[in-house]
Amino acid sequence: MHNERFTTYYQAQRIISDDEWDTFMDTLRRPLPTTFRIAGSRQIAQTLGNTIKDTYIPLLHNVTFEGEVIPPPAQIPWYPDGLAWQLNVSKKVLRTSPEFKKFHSFLVHETEVGNISRQEAVSMLPPLLLDVQPHHKVMDMCAAPGSKTAQLLEALHANDTATATSTPPGLLIANDSDSRRSHLLIHQSARLPSPSFMVTNVDASIYPILRSTMAEKRRSVKNTPSQLLFDRILCDVPCSGDGTLRKNVGIWKRWQPLDGNGLHGLQVRILQRAMRMLEPDGRIVYSTCSLNPVENEAVIAAALNSHPEFELVDVSSQLPELIRRPGISYWLPTVGRSIDTSHPSWEAYIETVPEDKRAESKMFETHWPPSNAGALHLERCIRIYPHLQDTGGFFVAVLERKESHRPSQSKQAGKRVAEEADVTIPESKKVRLETNISSNEPEEVPSSSTSAEPVTAMEDDAAIVEDEPATERSNTAPTTKPTRVADPSFKEMPYTFLSPDDPVLVTCMQQLNLTPSFPSSNILVRNPEGDAVRSFYLVNDLVKSVLAHNDYTRMRLMTSGTKVITKQDAGRGMDAHFRVLGEGLPVVLPYIDPATIMTGDFAALRVLLQTYYPLCASLQEPFRSAIEARGSGSHVVRFPASQSTDTTLSRDLILPLWKSNVSVTLMIDKKAKSALSLRLFGEDVTIAAREVAKKKRLATSSATQLDEPEPGSEHDEDRDSNDDENDDMDAEDEQ
């Protein structure tokens, strides 16, 4: 694996010292270790961490494969609480070693239910440095595929317990400009249901202004919506990705530095947009999986010079076991595919371009180091190189406003950040920034004193007059306009809030034994007007306020809150009932009348995992009598922490059931059942697992019969190894 352009370009940047260069390149050519992070609430994470340490590490200790001792998984030393692990074994070992196959199966099942996140180690850094708290308003501007979003969501839910999900007062908006990838975010977030979560699908560089009456009050009129500014913003921007060479080997063939040159403008615009959406005392983390200074330090320098109220934060004391290198203050962009780095400055380059061609140049002044690079403290950026701790390559920078521009010391704290005067910079740079980098950026809606000025297209008819009190509209979707929406091409269903006294909602609460404390005013539905209600979504107060004061088509809102309740089609002779969804139970649990929650035991749990619809009469006492005494419909059962001869339940387990006239079923999906079975019993006892095993046996039997050799044939001795290979391929497909 070699690319002469890569070598020539990065040696010219001097990102690595000469005595490290060979080690750096050798590491880039080696496969990247598998890394994973234990996700979910702190209590669940602790339980899983103990399972790995107490059950699997001893099992994998001193495993020998083809005469070589294979190292067991190891904790990533810099990740907090030891919740991230690294596994440096080949696929052949995972396919062949019985011990590692068992561990691999455990990882696959726990990943499918969201308790483990397969994530590159360096990718875990930005959310850690963002320091999200449950009350924060958080934006992930380029969120897909969602591993960092999941980390942010977990931080927002730091107060969750093992059985119940909290409702954080804060907010996380995950945005991606690609609609398909936005749907992937929705799928990923389902593993940690949150009433505080939203997904949008817009260009991050021109993200629209959002309004909320729960934003920091910047006007004297009560209930007047203000711009929603964010406490934490993650800009993990699109990049050339050459830091991922170890897992994306195709980059070796196609890499060329003009990819980074072309992305530079978009990266600066995204970061500048984040600066305008940040609360005065907020924090931004900018990151890429690129080694290219044009995508890294050059972007930071351009943004800082356009917003001099910001500065880089020194985070060298955080994560002390992380080996890192400082950012660089000098680099040489190439102006062509031939790696022409002969121009030490913008001025030197532009003089070589004919005057009639200068307007067509795709190189900006911001591609080069600015004259004040030293004063910007670019060394506070973090560079991660693969050879330092056997990782991918990565870049991270943390930005905040200078102390003098924060609310406590500024008389202008009540004013909006985006209304600050433009900074005076050299004219040539200003032209480039405005025409190539900062164009189309949505501005603030003018205050009443400047209302004669035109409102930008992004605000359009959704703009709110500052001095006119807004009317709270809680019963119907305030984002749905009867005659016009901001983006008619956006085809997602509207968001309609139900009235707390809506008959359907009242009936649902009665059926599910929900207490009066249930936040019924924050329930919305997403179905065409006039259609019967099938599912209820729950949001927190802040998300409701955002929905109430913004056109959902303008922000291209893909989802909001979490689906918690759905209508269950009843059997013959039964009325339709609502039921709590398995993923929604942790959210709804705090509002279920405790007296209505049943108590189960290990025997009942095993039967419910082994059989889809066991008859009530087949269950053992005392659970049999308890379930037979209940009416048909949705129920919740608690399996208390306890220990039996073959398993230990270290914490209470609370699960949803559905009872028909004579049978009962566990209302969680097949993958969750398999993961639970493996965790409790050390084996997958579910019907789904037995069906898969049966298909494999039939397939193996059929193949054996087709290729049946004559008695005494040399092929007889190979049958067992072929069976093993089939098993291994199935395990690999799961990954």
Side-chain angles (χ1 to χ4, degrees):
M1 290 179 282
H2 181 73
N3 184 307
E4 189 61 35
R5 295 188 302 270
F6 181 92
T7 301
T8 303
Y9 180 75
Y10 279 118
Q11 284 184 329
Q13 309 311 317
R14 302 193 66 80
I15 62 171
I16 298 290
S17 62
D18 292 341
D19 59 345
E20 289 183 282
W21 181 261
D22 290 342
T23 304
F24 166 69
M25 292 299 293
D26 289 344
T27 306
L28 279 177
R29 296 186 179 100
R30 293 204 305 265
L32 189 70
T34 296
T35 50
F36 61 90
R37 181 177 58 80
I38 302 175
S41 72
R42 290 175 178 171
Q43 290 180 325
I44 291 177
Q46 184 178 9
T47 300
L48 274 181
N50 291 337
T51 299
I52 293 174
K53 286 185 286 188
D54 299 338
T55 302
Y56 289 101
I57 296 301
L59 175 70
L60 302 174
H61 191 64
N62 288 330
V63 172
T64 302
F65 181 76
E66 296 182 348
E68 187 176 330
V69 176
I70 306 300
Q75 290 174 309
I76 296 175
W78 48 262
Y79 196 89
D81 302 321
L83 295 179
W85 294 75
Q86 179 168 299
L87 179 63
N88 203 352
V89 300
S90 68
K91 290 183 178 179
K92 187 177 181 180
V93 173
L94 288 177
R95 293 173 179 176
T96 310
S97 166
E99 297 89 352
F100 276 95
K101 282 178 70 174
K102 185 174 183 180
F103 182 60
H104 177 259
S105 180
F106 164 79
L107 290 182
V108 168
H109 285 94
E110 294 295 345
T111 299
E112 287 175 339
V113 298
N115 290 332
I116 283 177
S117 174
R118 286 285 305 274
Q119 185 177 352
E120 192 172 338
V122 289
S123 164
M124 305 174 192
L125 285 170
L128 294 178
L129 295 173
L130 204 57
D131 188 29
V132 170
Q133 304 298 321
H135 64 278
H136 281 157
K137 304 181 294 294
V138 187
M139 164 72 80
D140 189 351
M141 297 193 76
C142 310
S147 57
K148 298 180 189 68
T149 303
Q151 264 183 281
L152 297 175
L153 204 54
E154 289 165 25
L156 206 65
H157 281 264
N159 296 328
D160 285 9
T161 67
T163 55
T165 297
S166 61
T167 300
L171 162 73
L172 172 59
I173 297 180
N175 175 70
D176 200 88
S177 60
D178 184 284
S179 61
R180 182 184 60 82
R181 287 163 63 89
S182 296
H183 280 102
L184 179 61
L185 286 172
I186 297 172
H187 172 73
Q188 294 281 59
S189 66
R191 297 173 177 177
L192 183 57
S194 174
S196 309
F197 186 61
M198 306 175 79
V199 174
T200 59
N201 170 220
V202 295
D203 181 348
S205 67
I206 51 173
Y207 200 90
I209 291 169
L210 302 182
R211 304 287 174 183
S212 171
T213 53
M214 295 186 67
E216 182 183 342
K217 300 303 179 184
R218 298 177 178 85
R219 293 293 181 268
S220 59
V221 181
K222 187 178 181 181
N223 289 331
T224 299
S226 297
Q227 182 185 5
L228 180 69
L229 299 179
F230 295 88
D231 302 292
R232 298 288 187 269
I233 301 179
L234 174 58
C235 299
D236 186 55
V237 299
C239 67
S240 60
D242 56 20
T244 68
L245 278 166
R246 298 183 68 183
K247 66 176 182 179
N248 297 320
V249 294
I251 296 177
W252 281 105
K253 291 183 178 180
R254 64 176 184 268
W255 186 92
Q256 53 97 6
L258 295 189
D259 291 341
N261 287 357
L263 287 165
H264 171 83
L266 173 64
Q267 292 162 341
V268 175
R269 291 196 302 273
I270 291 173
L271 181 52
Q272 288 176 327
R273 184 68 195 123
M275 288 170 156
R276 288 180 174 268
M277 296 195 299
L278 191 70
E279 285 280 10
D281 56 352
R283 169 175 284 198
I284 295 172
V285 169
Y286 175 91
S287 62
T288 74
C289 52
S290 169
L291 303 173
N292 195 340
V294 168
E295 302 179 74
N296 297 329
E297 287 89 350
V299 172
I300 298 298
L304 289 176
N305 280 327
S306 66
H307 289 267
E309 72 275 16
F310 280 84
E311 65 180 352
L312 283 164
V313 179
D314 183 357
V315 292
S316 58
S317 62
Q318 297 184 34
L319 306 176
E321 294 189 74
L322 174 69
I323 302 175
R324 67 198 89 184
R325 294 291 163 80
I328 60 178
S329 298
Y330 185 75
W331 56 91
L332 290 169
T334 179
V335 297
R337 292 181 181 271
S338 59
I339 316 299
D340 179 4
T341 58
S342 62
H343 306 290
S345 67
W346 157 260
E347 290 78 13
Y349 161 71
I350 205 66
E351 286 180 2
T352 66
V353 180
E355 288 192 16
D356 60 336
K357 299 292 185 182
R358 291 181 181 180
E360 301 173 11
S361 174
K362 295 181 180 179
M363 299 298 292
F364 309 146
E365 184 172 359
T366 54
H367 280 96
W368 277 263
S371 58
N372 66 336
L376 297 177
H377 295 292
L378 295 175
E379 73 279 358
R380 293 177 179 173
C381 300
I382 296 176
R383 283 184 158 265
I384 305 294
Y385 297 125
H387 65 291
L388 298 179
Q389 285 182 301
D390 202 12
T391 65
F394 211 70
F395 176 88
V396 192
V398 181
L399 302 96
E400 293 178 354
R401 281 189 178 81
K402 296 175 181 176
E403 200 69 34
S404 59
H405 288 264
R406 296 187 186 180
S408 59
Q409 298 186 26
S410 174
K411 295 180 180 179
Q412 303 299 319
K415 293 187 177 181
R416 300 183 184 188
V417 175
E419 292 175 347
E420 294 177 1
D422 288 339
V423 57
T424 301
I425 53 179
E427 194 61 32
S428 60
K429 181 180 292 185
K430 186 173 182 181
V431 171
R432 288 286 171 181
L433 284 173
E434 290 179 349
T435 60
N436 295 304
I437 296 178
S438 299
S439 59
N440 298 324
E441 187 170 307
E443 298 293 333
E444 276 282 348
V445 172
S447 65
S448 57
S449 61
T450 58
S451 58
E453 297 178 9
V455 175
T456 64
M458 289 301 295
E459 284 289 330
D460 198 42
D461 60 296
I464 298 173
V465 179
E466 294 294 340
D467 292 330
E468 180 182 339
T471 303
E472 288 281 358
R473 294 167 288 178
S474 59
N475 293 342
T476 58
T479 56
T480 306
K481 299 187 178 184
T483 57
R484 179 185 177 190
V485 292
D487 186 355
S489 67
F490 188 65
K491 301 302 182 183
E492 290 290 324
M493 289 294 179
Y495 299 77
T496 306
F497 283 97
L498 295 180
S499 169
D501 58 2
D502 184 279
V504 177
L505 181 55
V506 171
T507 299
C508 171
M509 291 181 63
Q510 291 172 346
Q511 287 181 354
L512 300 179
N513 303 301
L514 299 179
T515 63
S517 62
F518 181 71
S520 55
S521 60
N522 287 9
I523 289 291
L524 61 83
V525 296
R526 297 196 63 191
N527 47 274
E529 189 174 352
D531 283 14
V533 173
R534 293 203 60 83
S535 298
F536 293 136
Y537 294 76
L538 179 65
V539 301
N540 71 0
D541 292 336
L542 181 53
V543 172
K544 180 180 179 180
S545 178
V546 172
L547 285 168
H549 297 98
N550 300 275
D551 187 320
Y552 80 97
T553 67
R554 184 174 67 93
M555 62 191 294
R556 297 184 66 83
L557 184 62
M558 308 292 286
T559 193
S560 185
T562 184
K563 187 191 293 187
V564 291
I565 297 168
T566 192
K567 184 177 287 186
Q568 178 78 10
D569 292 330
R572 186 177 302 173
M574 294 175 58
D575 294 330
H577 272 249
F578 287 97
R579 66 176 177 88
V580 178
L581 291 167
E583 62 270 26
L585 180 57
V587 181
V588 177
L589 183 61
Y591 308 104
I592 296 177
D593 183 356
T596 65
I597 297 177
M598 305 177 63
T599 300
D601 51 39
F602 272 132
L605 180 57
R606 190 172 190 113
V607 171
L608 290 168
L609 289 172
Q610 286 178 321
T611 312
Y612 283 139
Y613 302 100
L615 296 175
C616 296
S618 68
L619 297 167
Q620 296 181 18
E621 296 291 356
F623 188 71
R624 171 181 172 176
S625 296
I627 193 64
E628 287 181 336
R630 296 292 181 108
S632 301
S634 179
H635 300 282
V636 176
V637 59
R638 181 192 303 272
F639 298 94
S642 58
Q643 186 170 356
S644 69
T645 55
D646 61 344
T647 188
T648 298
L649 188 59
S650 59
R651 56 180 174 81
D652 286 6
L653 187 65
I654 303 179
L655 299 171
L657 299 178
W658 179 265
K659 185 194 174 188
S660 63
N661 287 330
V662 295
S663 66
V664 64
T665 187
L666 194 59
M667 299 301 287
I668 58 175
D669 66 30
K670 295 178 182 178
K671 293 176 181 178
K673 288 180 180 179
S674 293
L676 180 59
S677 176
L678 277 170
R679 206 181 310 141
L680 291 179
F681 306 115
E683 60 177 329
D684 192 345
V685 301
T686 64
I687 288 182
R690 295 201 298 273
E691 289 175 345
V692 169
K694 182 178 179 181
K695 288 179 181 178
K696 287 164 65 175
R697 286 195 301 271
L698 290 174
T700 302
S701 175
S702 299
T704 303
Q705 291 174 8
L706 288 173
D707 297 328
E708 189 71 36
E710 294 296 325
S713 167
E714 62 181 0
H715 293 289
D716 280 357
E717 63 187 16
D718 292 333
R719 283 185 200 159
D720 291 342
S721 63
N722 287 339
D723 287 351
D724 287 343
E725 282 186 11
N726 288 333
D727 290 345
D728 297 334
M729 290 303 295
D730 287 337
E732 181 63 21
D733 288 342
E734 285 182 310
Q735 187 61 37

